[in-house]
Amino acid sequence: MKNHSRKISPLNSGLLVLAIAAVGVGVATAASGNIWQSPSGLDVGTPAAGAHPMTGAEVKVDRFDNVEKAAGEIAGLVDESTEKTYFTIQVTDAELADRCDARVGAGQLRPTRTKFLILDVKASLASSVSEKVGGKTGDLYMPLVAEAFSITTGSGEVRKNLTSETAWGCLDDSALLPAVVNPGQSVRGKVVLDVADVSGKVAYDPEGNGGWSWPYAG
């Protein structure tokens, strides 16, 4: 989710401008390959590991280019010049569980690894995003599937393959987060990951080249 001129700028809203190539937004637009280069309106701000210009609080970016967020804190893409929000994502809760209710039938399922990590996620994508990135509104989206998330362990290892047959079989469809968020939508639901590590950071980073991370612990 970055390009070579990646910058961030914290705002009063608590959102961060990321000069990035946002996976899903613009996938079908005029950019080369899978990634669009973020418009110039998003390519402004302070260096990535700088300080909040108003509070002086440190802005931390890990070695995987994920902006580190506090538990429950909102992350997203805004236009710094207008403070227009285009995309937000928030891991409001991260619960470790030994089992889950099966999507089909009355039984319960157990993780393939150590625990299920059940995320409660909110996400929104502005209906006006096509005005910023070009392309047709119907071609734009941000992915919210389990594969869009990874974890970093306490020792600094990244775990990306967090899916399993049992994790996929957890919870009723009505409780789960949709696979994508489309322009004009605000969605909320759960994402079930199958993890071996009971503490660390969970990242939303669909392309594996920079996003946002939130802590979780047992």
Side-chain angles (χ1 to χ4, degrees):
M1 291 179 67
K2 65 172 182 173
N3 61 26
H4 294 299
S5 58
R6 181 179 180 278
K7 301 175 183 177
I8 62 175
S9 178
L11 302 178
N12 283 324
S13 65
L15 302 178
L16 292 170
V17 174
L18 295 178
I20 65 172
V23 176
V25 175
V27 161
T29 67
S32 59
N34 288 354
I35 301 176
W36 60 276
Q37 296 300 307
S38 58
S40 59
L42 295 180
D43 192 23
V44 288
T46 54
H52 193 294
M54 299 158 195
T55 67
E58 185 180 5
V59 176
K60 295 182 179 180
V61 179
D62 66 23
R63 65 189 180 94
F64 306 106
D65 270 328
N66 294 314
V67 177
E68 297 179 356
K69 310 298 288 184
E73 188 178 2
I74 297 173
L77 294 172
V78 302
D79 185 328
E80 189 186 50
S81 62
T82 63
E83 297 192 12
K84 169 69 177 178
T85 302
Y86 287 96
F87 170 68
T88 65
I89 187 165
Q90 179 184 15
V91 177
T92 63
D93 188 49
E95 174 191 0
L96 290 162
D98 293 318
R99 63 191 72 190
C100 70
D101 293 332
R103 186 182 312 182
V104 178
Q108 291 196 317
L109 302 176
R110 293 184 179 275
T112 300
R113 301 178 181 93
T114 304
K115 297 278 188 178
F116 289 127
L117 178 60
I118 304 175
L119 309 177
D120 192 333
V121 178
K122 293 181 179 179
S124 66
L125 188 59
S127 58
S128 59
V129 67
S130 61
E131 300 170 9
K132 196 68 179 178
V133 304
K136 298 179 181 179
T137 298
D139 295 331
L140 306 177
Y141 64 93
M142 288 295 280
L144 299 173
V145 292
E147 290 83 355
F149 295 86
S150 61
I151 64 168
T152 304
T153 70
S155 62
E157 295 181 76
V158 176
R159 316 274 196 218
K160 293 185 178 181
N161 181 18
L162 305 177
T163 60
S164 70
E165 185 175 347
T166 54
W168 181 87
C170 283
L171 305 180
D172 187 80
D173 285 339
S174 62
L176 295 172
L177 192 67
V180 302
V181 58
N182 295 303
Q185 287 186 327
S186 293
V187 298
R188 181 173 187 170
K190 296 185 184 297
V191 177
V192 183
L193 308 178
D194 196 325
V195 302
D197 304 274
V198 297
S199 65
K201 294 180 179 179
V202 59
Y204 175 76
D205 181 13
E207 283 292 298
N209 57 5
W212 303 272
S213 68
W214 297 261
Y216 75 92

